[in-house]
Amino acid sequence: MKKRQYSCGLDAAVDVVGGKWKALLLWELHHGPRRFGELRRRVAGISEKMLIQQLREMEKAGLVDRKVHEQVPPKVVYSLTSFGDSLNTALIPLGEWGEVHMETIEAIPRD
Amino acid sequence: MKKRQYSCGLDAAVDVVGGKWKALLLWELHHGPRRFGELRRRVAGISEKMLIQQLREMEKAGLVDRKVHEQVPPKVVYSLTSFGDSLNTALIPLGEWGEVHMETIEAIPRD
DNA sequence: TAGGGTACTTACCTTTTCGTTTGTGGAGGA
DNA sequence: TCCTCCACAAACGAAAAGGTAAGTACCCTA
């Protein structure tokens, strides 16, 4: 979330789903509601700080729903809203493209 | 382009198209081949440094083709490869999602 | 003769993003 | 009693991304 004025829909969408973790979290939540600790374990390499940061941003954006179960130890469950689900649906072709061309993408030189 | 190991296709695709400018450039080139100066004028707000940097990265990734016409003054034309075009096709649903929800996205608070 | 267009390149700086570490407070298990 | 788990929070620094400004070499137009 950096801009206010977008030049096209794609611009806006990439702004919402951009960054290192949001796409992965969307994908993981697509499989079903998840607790904080579950997400931390299933999304490889994410730190707790990044996880909570991304979740908060996605909550603000209306993509995910955060439900607190008042109990000890605490239990918080995150799930996709219908808005988040619609974004996920729109991302499916892109995900398939990525899978098909995975080897090509991995072979891109980076310097 | 930062990682080598992707956990899913979506992860890889977002890595390729991520950042502030690549989606806009892909979209612009989707309308047809463009010269450097044309892109600079049509993609609002981009600096020459960013433009050439992104174009070079997209060239390395095999998304765009760079054709130099040896003449004075110089003339360089950029166009999508079939690989770049396939990415663009995969991005269409996302672009449509962004257009449909543009107002919602613009209303997301950023602090 | 001055200014603008052609397509870049380089240096420097600021902003944003990402990662690491430490700490909270109560509860249950060895 | 110590350790771990739960779901965070806060501080700090590194790294990456992005922005600004200037320079290059040549040509055409006014």
Side-chain angles (χ1 to χ4, degrees):
Chain A
M1 294 299 99
K2 15 190 155 26
K3 297 185 281 184
R4 285 139 211 285
Q5 289 294 83
Y6 301 105
S7 40
C8 67
L10 187 53
D11 190 16
V14 168
D15 198 20
V16 170
V17 83
K20 193 173 175 180
W21 300 111
K22 291 211 180 72
L24 269 59
L25 286 170
L26 275 176
W27 193 250
E28 184 55 38
L29 288 172
H30 179 244
H31 299 315
R34 295 277 185 263
R35 298 183 60 178
F36 182 87
E38 277 180 306
L39 288 170
R40 184 179 23 128
R41 281 187 297 271
R42 299 178 81 114
V43 178
I46 196 168
S47 68
E48 295 191 340
K49 174 197 164 185
M50 275 299 117
L51 179 53
I52 194 68
Q53 198 175 92
Q54 303 302 306
L55 285 172
R56 289 281 143 86
E57 284 181 28
M58 291 163 83
E59 201 192 341
K60 267 186 194 163
L63 296 168
V64 307
D65 189 48
R66 178 174 180 268
K67 202 162 218 164
V68 182
H69 300 256
E70 293 292 355
Q71 61 185 53
V72 176
K75 178 176 178 180
V76 181
V77 176
Y78 296 90
S79 57
L80 285 185
T81 61
S82 60
F83 186 50
D85 198 56
S86 71
L87 175 54
N88 232 323
T89 303
L91 283 169
I92 289 175
L94 189 60
E96 285 172 353
W97 181 90
E99 269 184 34
V100 171
H101 301 288
M102 183 77 84
E103 294 188 11
T104 308
I105 296 170
E106 283 174 345
I108 296 171
R110 336 128 207 278
D111 13 323
Chain B
M1 295 299 102
K2 21 194 148 32
K3 298 184 280 185
R4 287 139 210 287
Q5 288 296 82
Y6 300 105
S7 40
C8 67
L10 188 52
D11 190 16
V14 169
D15 198 20
V16 170
V17 82
K20 193 173 173 180
W21 299 111
K22 290 212 182 68
L24 269 60
L25 287 169
L26 276 176
W27 192 250
E28 184 55 39
L29 288 171
H30 179 243
H31 299 315
R34 296 276 186 263
R35 299 183 58 178
F36 181 87
E38 277 180 305
L39 288 171
R40 186 182 18 135
R41 281 187 297 270
R42 298 177 82 116
V43 179
I46 196 169
S47 69
E48 296 191 339
K49 173 198 162 186
M50 275 299 117
L51 179 53
I52 196 68
Q53 198 175 93
Q54 303 301 306
L55 285 172
R56 289 280 142 86
E57 285 182 25
M58 291 164 82
E59 201 191 340
K60 267 187 195 163
L63 296 168
V64 307
D65 190 48
R66 179 174 177 268
K67 202 162 218 165
V68 182
H69 299 257
E70 293 290 356
Q71 60 186 53
V72 177
K75 180 177 177 180
V76 181
V77 177
Y78 295 90
S79 57
L80 285 184
T81 61
S82 60
F83 186 50
D85 198 56
S86 71
L87 175 55
N88 232 322
T89 303
L91 283 169
I92 288 175
L94 188 60
E96 285 171 354
W97 181 89
E99 266 183 38
V100 171
H101 301 288
M102 182 76 84
E103 294 188 12
T104 309
I105 296 171
E106 283 174 346
I108 296 171
R110 18 200 137 236
D111 11 319

